Amino acid sequence: AEQVIDGIVEGCRQAQLALIGGETAEMPGMYTPGKYDLAGFAVGEVFRNTLLDGSRIKPGDALVGIASSGIHSNGLSLARRLEHLGTDDNEYLNELLEPTKIYTKEITRLQNQGLVHGLAHITGGGLTNVSRMSKTVNYVIDSFPTLNEVAPIFSKLTSRSGLGSKELFRTFNMGVGMVVATPEPIQAC
């Protein structure tokens, strides 16, 4: 329990948020000893003039990917089923547990510079989430990270799964955790 709370506090620190409440429920008989179920949510405020609703995205905007810290929770069920296919299982499982990167600082910096027209958090569905930013603009992604440019877990997933590139990018984030639609190319964060 302490490790879970420490992780939540660290996530709040990274996102510059306050942890203002919480509740725990113990359900004997529902979970075996040492097993946990964790759910959470965040409440925030957004001002109408800063709302990212896709209306600012224009043809010609650049799409820039921000590196993920690992697979986050994308395709985790499949990734866990692949654990038995290698001899470095402990290392592989540890890589699956890499905490999800929190993008607040990078995105806030870009927003303060007027460089964010839209955002797509690359979760389940992989890069197909980009098309959700705006229904009126078509997107072309002409460059993807190579396996040499991303966390080692993606090479392992590629070799263990036997999936083709298209399916890998639809299931996993493949090293891209957030995509920014921006009026001008920006340096990677």
Side-chain angles (χ1 to χ4, degrees), residues 124-144:
L127 289 172
T128 63
N129 292 334
V130 170
S131 65
R132 297 179 186 169
M133 286 192 283
S134 171
K135 296 186 185 327
T136 62
V137 175
N138 291 320
Y139 303 91
V140 175
I141 300 174
D142 57 15
S143 177
F144 296 95

Side-chain angles (χ1 to χ4, degrees), residues 7 17 24 28 70 73 78 85 129 176:
L17 301 172
T24 58
S73 57
L78 172 59
L85 297 176
N129 292 334
V176 179

Side-chain angles (χ1 to χ4, degrees), residues 29 51 55 57 155:
L51 185 65
S55 62
I57 299 173
S155 292

Side-chain angles (χ1 to χ4, degrees), residues 9 53 83 88-89 120 132 135 156 178:
V9 168
D53 61 2
E83 72 182 78
D88 57 348
D89 287 336
R132 297 179 186 169
K135 296 186 185 327
K156 293 175 185 173
M178 183 77 73

